[in-house]
Amino acid sequence: MKHHTIIATDQRTDNTIELSTVPSKINIGLSACLAGHEVRYNGGHTQSRLCLDILSQHFTYKTFCPEVAAGFSTPRPTMRLTGNPNKPKLSFTTDDPVDLTNQLTDGFKDKLAQFESLDGYILMKNSPSCGLSRIKVYQENGYPHETKVSGLFANALQKQYPLMPIEEEGRLHDAKLFENFVLRVYAYHHFRTDVLATPSMGNLIGFHSRYKYVLMAHDQNAYKSLGQLLGKAKKPDMTVLVNRYFERFMLALSKPASKKNHTNTLLHILGYLRKSIPSQARQNIADVIIKYNQGVLPLITPLTLLKHYLDQYGSAYIRNQRYLAPYPESLGLANQL
Ligand code: SF4
């Protein structure tokens, strides 16, 4: 994957400095019907404008329809899950009792390995194959079991890639969930390229350091415990350490950051300007942070203000914090928070 290096000028020294590198595009998986492919049971699609018009500026898609891969025709009768929610079976919703589970799973099981290079996956909701959650499992009495499950493909995908950010397209219309998904996709990508590609203590510590404030905004305890995990590691087995870190790191990011935690994080970052800008300017920034906390201003306002001053007066350490640019600014995600 091509990476673009962002170069900035250190205004105190006039030297150019490397702030960070970002990939030109991130590869993620997408249910084929969301890409506009006519693969649904009725021969239609469920094209997603959000995926095709907005995210496609930064993501490239590997599209896949597990039902078509399994040889089901298009159009085809609708399908549903039945039986034990712990081991649901796939069948047509017609009276035909034939068990289609193996046909579907045999159709995608050899394909799962192809998704190894992806940094995330967006699935179509309500499908007995692709639905990530809340899929009904029908009982003999014709009513669904109270336990809802994942579709069969979504379940297998999650098992094969438990740390990969996977989300339903429908949930991405919620601004907080959308931001959290995109942030996790980039964090997953950064970990894979910055640490997993060449695992070393130095790379892991560098990654942890750059993600300090992202972690602080999501889960302060996780930031501390991950730091302790690295601090305690004497002559570590790097594979074990890296995997343990990655698991806890992705778990910490799994929920959107709260307004309260963002506020604390912004105030911490403001502390880096203590010696370099006049107290009145610092007070003005603090006032903007409080207005964000009160819901009067969006997150982008204090972030932009802080970045403005940090670009001039901040150290390379603080300027390179992923928190200040966790994903492309053009997505406008911090405008909605
Ligand atoms: S939801 Fe999944 S299985 Fe159904 S048409 Fe879309 S890609 Fe195919």
Side-chain angles (χ1 to χ4, degrees):
M1 178 181 292
K2 257 190 353 199
H3 279 63
H4 295 304
T5 302
I6 298 174
I7 302 291
T9 303
D10 185 326
Q11 304 202 350
R12 293 154 301 174
T13 61
D14 264 356
N15 292 332
T16 53
I17 48 170
E18 186 178 308
L19 282 180
S20 61
T21 59
V22 290
S24 49
K25 286 213 177 179
I26 296 249
N27 294 318
I28 70 164
L30 183 66
S31 290
C33 53
L34 291 169
H37 300 181
E38 294 177 333
V39 289
R40 293 194 75 208
Y41 69 94
N42 59 4
H45 61 73
T46 43
Q47 195 172 68
S48 163
R49 299 303 351 152
L50 186 143
C51 293
L52 299 187
D53 295 348
I54 300 171
L55 285 177
S56 63
Q57 293 166 29
H58 303 285
F59 292 174
T60 51
Y61 297 118
K62 179 171 183 57
T63 59
F64 183 65
C65 174
E67 292 177 13
V68 167
F72 291 106
S73 61
T74 305
R76 55 189 171 275
T78 52
M79 290 185 256
R80 65 179 183 175
L81 298 181
T82 60
N84 181 349
N86 294 324
K87 210 172 183 314
K89 291 179 175 171
L90 185 72
S91 61
F92 289 123
T93 48
T94 57
D95 289 336
D96 186 345
V98 65
D99 183 349
L100 306 168
T101 316
N102 288 345
Q103 183 178 344
L104 184 80
T105 54
D106 288 351
F108 67 64
K109 73 180 176 202
D110 292 339
K111 307 276 191 324
L112 286 170
Q114 295 177 8
F115 305 134
E116 211 275 326
S117 62
L118 304 179
D119 289 315
Y121 213 110
I122 300 176
L123 291 164
M124 178 62 194
K125 67 179 176 181
N126 293 340
S127 154
S129 303
C130 288
L132 192 55
S133 59
R134 305 180 311 282
I135 303 303
K136 293 173 181 164
V137 184
Y138 286 88
Q139 306 300 293
E140 276 183 13
N141 61 12
Y143 290 99
H145 195 282
E146 61 185 15
T147 303
K148 308 283 188 294
V149 300
S150 302
L152 298 180
F153 172 67
N155 188 23
L157 188 67
Q158 284 176 295
K159 280 194 175 137
Q160 179 111 351
Y161 303 106
L163 305 186
M164 181 191 280
I166 304 176
E167 192 51 279
E168 283 183 345
E169 194 269 352
R171 281 167 49 92
L172 298 181
H173 294 271
D174 176 297
K176 278 189 176 176
L177 297 178
F178 186 34
E179 192 270 349
N180 181 254
F181 174 71
V182 174
L183 178 124
R184 284 185 292 132
V185 166
Y186 277 90
Y188 188 83
H189 175 79
H190 291 149
F191 193 84
R192 279 153 51 93
T193 49
D194 296 354
V195 182
L196 283 183
T198 44
S200 73
M201 205 57 198
N203 285 346
L204 191 51
I205 289 171
F207 178 89
H208 182 69
S209 165
R210 286 189 294 283
Y211 265 93
K212 170 175 178 166
Y213 289 106
V214 171
L215 279 166
M216 187 181 269
H218 283 79
D219 186 339
Q220 303 219 10
N221 292 333
Y223 174 71
K224 281 187 203 134
S225 74
L226 283 168
Q228 285 161 0
L229 180 71
L230 300 188
K232 273 196 243 155
K234 309 269 185 258
K235 294 192 184 161
D237 176 330
M238 279 314 292
T239 307
V240 172
L241 181 64
V242 162
N243 288 339
R244 193 168 292 161
Y245 182 97
F246 197 17
E247 197 177 310
R248 292 200 207 165
F249 172 77
M250 291 308 295
L251 180 67
L253 267 49
S254 63
K255 291 204 180 80
S258 68
K259 209 174 261 289
K260 183 174 163 224
N261 280 359
H262 270 307
T263 304
N264 282 339
T265 304
L266 293 165
L267 290 170
H268 256 93
I269 294 175
L270 177 58
Y272 282 86
L273 295 169
R274 200 170 34 242
K275 293 186 183 151
S276 44
I277 65 171
S279 62
Q280 186 55 51
R282 286 202 314 278
Q283 186 56 52
N284 292 345
I285 301 171
D287 290 346
V288 167
I289 294 173
I290 299 303
K291 282 189 180 153
Y292 156 71
N293 182 256
Q294 293 166 340
V296 178
L297 293 171
L299 179 62
I300 190 68
T301 312
L303 261 183
T304 306
L305 205 47
L306 277 171
K307 276 197 271 189
H308 169 78
Y309 284 104
L310 291 170
D311 280 351
Q312 295 178 66
Y313 304 110
S315 62
Y317 169 76
I318 192 67
R319 286 200 311 270
N320 277 323
Q321 282 297 319
R322 291 285 185 198
Y323 182 78
L324 299 170
Y327 35 67
E329 199 174 40
S330 58
L331 285 169
L333 299 173
N335 300 353
Q336 313 294 324
L337 300 179

